[in-house]
Amino acid sequence: MKLCFSIDALSPSGAKAWRLLEDNSWRECIYAEPLQHGDARITDKFNAEEWLNRRLKKDPDSVLTPQKKAGKFDFLMRGIFSHAVLHRTSGAPIPDKKQLLAALAQLQPGTPWLLYLDVAGHFRALDTDKRSIMSNLDIAVRGEIASSEDYIGSKAAANESMMDNLYRQFLAGWLDHLTSSNMNVFVPDIEKLKAESDYIDAISNWHPEQPAD
């Protein structure tokens, strides 16, 4: 699996975007476009996380200068902020339903768990009392936080109908993640889902980008 992050910045309206270059300057781009020669390619997720939600100041000559990370209420204000965009230059797997069931079955009710898909397409669980969801580039696709035995643990994993729907939700979210390059994608509502085979076919036919060298 070959992947890296670019750092893309968006204007308040989303009408303009910029990408960080290897020399720490910025070029105008289309948000989440394929990698071009000279783009900064960050392979360490912790370095990429340092760029999440950083405010950027634009001077009269349109030069962007990174500022501090956004505060809790900064997104109530207008400004240019940076985002990490995932780029895959190799194929992506189809998430494994058996792994979903195994991951869910071993969770203990009473803890607020987040079930999610990581960037490798593996099902993981995160204790939200101990780890943050925000600015977490492990999370490609996320479900709802749950602590009840009706939704996590062995009882939930044995509910065949619910697991079929949950798997389709994650397939749909995974396809969205692959096509949009967005992180922390929410699974869609059950009412909006297609057939499982539709998602598997679409994921199988998805092609990674071919970046310019």
Side-chain angles (χ1 to χ4, degrees):
M1 180 179 65
K2 297 180 180 179
L3 53 83
C4 66
F5 292 97
S6 68
I7 305 302
D8 290 14
L10 275 175
S11 66
S13 67
K16 285 190 174 183
W18 301 263
R19 177 164 292 171
L20 181 68
L21 301 179
E22 292 174 343
D23 64 3
N24 291 320
S25 63
W26 299 79
R27 69 171 178 86
E28 289 195 26
C29 69
I30 298 172
Y31 184 79
E33 71 180 23
L35 291 164
Q36 303 295 323
H37 179 73
D39 290 349
R41 305 180 187 194
I42 301 176
T43 56
D44 184 308
K45 82 175 186 68
F46 295 106
N47 288 341
E49 285 175 352
E50 285 300 310
W51 279 99
L52 291 177
N53 303 331
R54 287 186 70 176
R55 186 187 293 277
L56 296 160
K57 183 178 180 181
K58 185 168 68 170
D59 68 16
D61 295 322
S62 295
V63 175
L64 294 177
T65 304
Q67 309 294 303
K68 294 181 179 180
K69 272 181 171 280
K72 184 176 182 180
F73 299 107
D74 276 359
F75 285 99
L76 299 177
M77 302 165 59
R78 294 175 64 84
I80 300 171
F81 291 94
S82 58
H83 307 266
V85 174
L86 185 69
H87 298 268
R88 295 177 183 271
T89 54
S90 63
I94 297 171
D96 187 346
K97 187 176 182 180
K98 290 182 179 179
Q99 199 210 14
L100 163 64
L101 299 178
L104 198 72
Q106 58 88 31
L107 300 179
Q108 293 298 315
T111 297
W113 294 104
L114 175 75
L115 185 70
Y116 69 95
L117 280 169
D118 66 15
V119 295
H122 297 148
F123 286 99
R124 309 286 186 191
L126 180 152
D127 181 346
T128 59
D129 277 342
K130 296 180 179 179
R131 291 182 59 198
S132 174
I133 298 173
M134 302 300 295
S135 302
N136 188 330
L137 292 180
D138 279 333
I139 303 172
V141 183
R142 56 160 296 179
E144 298 289 345
I145 298 171
S147 59
S148 167
E149 66 176 5
D150 291 329
Y151 300 102
I152 59 171
S154 57
K155 177 182 175 181
N159 186 330
E160 185 174 345
S161 176
M162 187 171 74
M163 291 301 100
D164 286 346
N165 285 333
L166 185 62
Y167 182 57
R168 284 193 297 144
Q169 284 181 295
F170 271 102
L171 287 178
W174 185 242
L175 180 61
D176 184 355
H177 161 72
L178 293 178
T179 55
S180 69
S181 297
N182 289 331
M183 301 294 293
N184 233 308
V185 173
F186 276 93
V187 297
D189 294 335
I190 293 173
E191 295 77 14
K192 299 178 180 179
L193 294 177
K194 299 178 182 178
E196 179 180 313
S197 59
D198 290 338
Y199 294 118
I200 290 177
D201 288 345
I203 295 168
S204 298
N205 292 322
W206 176 84
H207 296 289
E209 67 180 73
Q210 301 295 320
D213 295 322

